[in-house]
């Protein structure tokens, strides 16, 4: 690659390379952010479609927050759309990864609280006609969403950890100015 990476993760053409592989981490992080933005947009849209379908389970109270499921789905969809929008049109790459990481941490905390509450799921086809017509059981969707949450959290953790490690290494190099040659965030 002929260029160096700025603090915001963008490559400056024609500038000397800071170190080998500087842009590779940003490339992986960029792909991660783009894929997650699409998944977040999709899941938020499916949540809102489910809300509009008006299934009876949406009037029931969530076992963790004790608010109607409809309100929780709307809040979750809006949060996912906001994170997806920032991931597409927002500023710095590493802030995008950190925001996705934070959202995944919230998902996992919520799922943990559901488990601690003893919640076993609703005995109904609750996810609406969009999901209900697919050839999967309701429990399979919960497992899939759980794996997606863990994968998102672990992927963002690895990317942020690698970014922090690279920052720390660049600060230890001779002539390191403490800002890191490929930092940003």
């Amino acid at each position: 690659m002929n260029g160096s990476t700025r603090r915001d993760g963008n490559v400056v053409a024609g500038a000397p390379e800071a170190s080998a592989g500087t842009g590779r981490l940003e490339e992986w992080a960029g792909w991660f952010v783009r894929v997650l933005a699409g998944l977040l947009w999709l899941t938020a849209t499916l949540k809102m479609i489910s809300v509009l379908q008006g299934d009876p389970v949406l009037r029931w109270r969530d076992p963790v927050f004790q608010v109607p499921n409809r309100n929780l789905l709307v809040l979750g969809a809006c949060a996912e759309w906001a994170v997806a929008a920032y991931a597409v049109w927002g500023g710095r790459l590493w802030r995008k990864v950190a925001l996705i990481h934070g959202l995944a941490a919230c998902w996992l905390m919520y799922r943990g609280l559901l488990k601690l509450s003893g919640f076993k799921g609703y005995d109904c086809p609750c996810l609406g006609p969009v999901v209900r017509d697919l050839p999967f059981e309701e429990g399979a969707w919960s497992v899939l969403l759980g794996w997606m949450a863990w994968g998102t959290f672990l992927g963002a953790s690895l990317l942020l950890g690698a970014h922090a490690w690279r920052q720390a290494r660049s600060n230890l190099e001779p002539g390191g100015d403490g800002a890191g040659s490929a930092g940003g965030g």
Side-chain angles (χ1 to χ4, degrees):
M1 177 154 74
N2 188 13
S4 68
T5 307
R6 296 188 325 212
R7 290 181 57 88
D8 63 0
N10 294 319
V11 174
V12 178
E17 283 271 344
S19 63
T22 297
R24 188 166 306 212
L25 183 60
E26 281 78 12
E27 185 178 333
W28 279 100
W31 275 106
F32 178 80
V33 166
R34 285 188 292 278
V35 167
L36 263 295
L39 287 173
L40 286 170
W41 198 265
L42 176 66
T43 58
T45 302
L46 290 175
K47 281 181 173 96
M48 289 305 287
I49 289 171
S50 291
V51 166
L52 294 173
Q53 297 300 321
D55 283 327
V57 71
L58 296 174
R59 291 189 296 269
W60 299 348
R61 294 208 171 270
D62 174 73
V64 173
F65 295 113
Q66 296 301 312
V67 298
N69 285 324
R70 172 185 306 278
N71 298 358
L72 197 59
L73 275 180
V74 168
L75 180 65
C78 290
E80 289 174 1
W81 274 329
V83 171
Y86 185 79
V88 172
W89 297 295
R92 296 178 182 227
L93 173 64
W94 295 107
R95 286 186 185 161
K96 294 175 184 183
V97 175
L99 188 60
I100 290 169
H101 186 261
L103 183 63
C106 289
W107 286 334
L108 293 175
M109 284 189 285
Y110 176 74
R111 292 180 72 81
L113 289 171
L114 273 178
K115 192 170 190 87
L116 286 174
S117 75
F119 181 72
K120 301 287 187 214
Y122 299 110
D123 189 23
C124 67
C126 306
L127 295 175
V130 173
V131 174
R132 189 175 24 228
D133 295 337
L134 295 175
F136 298 105
E137 293 181 23
E138 184 124 359
W141 286 107
S142 182
V143 170
L144 176 64
L145 293 173
W147 279 105
M148 283 177 55
W150 273 109
T152 300
F153 181 79
L154 292 174
S157 295
L158 288 171
L159 288 168
L160 291 170
H163 176 64
W165 175 258
R166 189 179 64 192
Q167 290 266 60
R169 271 194 14 215
S170 72
N171 290 341
L172 296 175
E173 292 175 357
D177 61 0
S181 59

